[in-house]
Each structure stands twice: as C-alpha cells, then as structure tokens.
C-alpha cells in the first residue's frame, strides 16, 4: 500500500521557489517526527529537514536559510517551502519519519532547477 505521497515538484529557474507537500497516514503522522530527504542523480539519499510533532525543526546546512519545513497535524501533511533554489537542489525529494523504522519510500517528487 502507498503510505507516503509527495507532490509539488517541477521545473524552475535558479532563484525560484517551489512548495512541496507530503501526505502521510494519520496513524503515522500523528506519532512521528517527519522529514524531507532528497536524492540527486548518482548520489545517496540525504536528509535535508525535519520537524517534530511539537514543531522543533532541524535543517541540513545545505538548505538552511533557504528552505522552510512545516507540518499541518490536522491535515496529516508535511510541507517544504523551497526558496532561492539552486541547480544543486535538483533531485527527487522524499518524505519519511525521522525516528524509528522508515516506512517504504514513496515515489518522490522531482525538482529540477535550471541555471
């Protein structure tokens, strides 16, 4: 069964913005810190941002100051506001729990930033 569904990716020019969304089951979302990960071609998947149920946030240095993670607990939805996008942000973006066993990864959403 599909449990994590990412959306909102697309093709943008450098300096542009995108807002990604991640829908998760309520039974998962309500009990877990959630995070965003990305995987660029030829690279390993990397953590980029996380948020606890109470709203405590951490960012990878590569996106700090440019990306904003948030969550809507009533909608069981995780967001990533991506501003000042750079070509090196090009990747497939995924969401998952931060702690404990990872759920099966979703399909992700492609973000492509042109120079």
């Amino acid at each position: 069964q599909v449990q994590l569904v990412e959306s909102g990716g697309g093709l943008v020019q450098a300096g542009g913005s995108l807002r990604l969304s991640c829908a998760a089951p309520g039974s998962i979302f309500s009990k877990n810190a959630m995070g965003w990960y990305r995987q660029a071609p030829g690279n390993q998947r990397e953590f980029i941002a996380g948020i606890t149920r109470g709203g405590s946030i951490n960012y990878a240095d590569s996106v700090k100051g440019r990306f904003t993670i948030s969550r809507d607990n009533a909608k069981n939805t995780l967001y990533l506001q991506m501003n000042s996008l750079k070509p090196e942000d090009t990747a497939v973006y995924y969401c998952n729990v931060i702690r404990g066993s990872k759920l099966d990864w979703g399909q992700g959403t492609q973000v492509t930033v042109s120079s």
Side-chain angles (χ1 to χ4, degrees):
Q1 281 188 304
V2 176
Q3 297 192 76
L4 300 168
V5 181
E6 301 91 348
S7 62
L11 174 63
V12 298
Q13 295 182 5
S17 298
L18 285 172
R19 182 175 173 84
L20 307 185
S21 298
C22 166
S27 60
I28 297 298
F29 197 90
S30 65
K31 298 177 181 178
N32 287 278
M34 300 293 296
W36 287 98
Y37 303 77
R38 68 186 182 188
Q39 187 169 22
N43 291 358
Q44 298 296 313
R45 198 188 330 262
E46 64 173 332
F47 168 86
I48 56 173
I51 183 169
T52 68
R53 291 173 293 173
S56 181
I57 294 169
N58 281 298
Y59 297 101
D61 288 343
S62 59
V63 306
K64 192 173 298 181
R66 300 188 298 119
F67 292 7
T68 303
I69 189 172
S70 62
R71 63 191 290 159
D72 187 332
N73 292 332
K75 296 181 178 179
N76 300 316
T77 303
L78 181 73
Y79 302 100
L80 186 68
Q81 179 65 47
M82 309 165 67
N83 298 326
S84 302
L85 283 161
K86 304 174 180 180
E88 52 262 45
D89 295 318
T90 295
V92 179
Y93 285 71
Y94 303 88
C95 61
N96 216 315
V97 298
I98 296 296
R99 300 173 179 174
S101 299
K102 291 287 187 285
L103 278 64
D104 289 345
W105 296 95
Q107 292 296 304
T109 186
Q110 176 72 51
V111 171
T112 303
V113 184
S114 62
S115 301

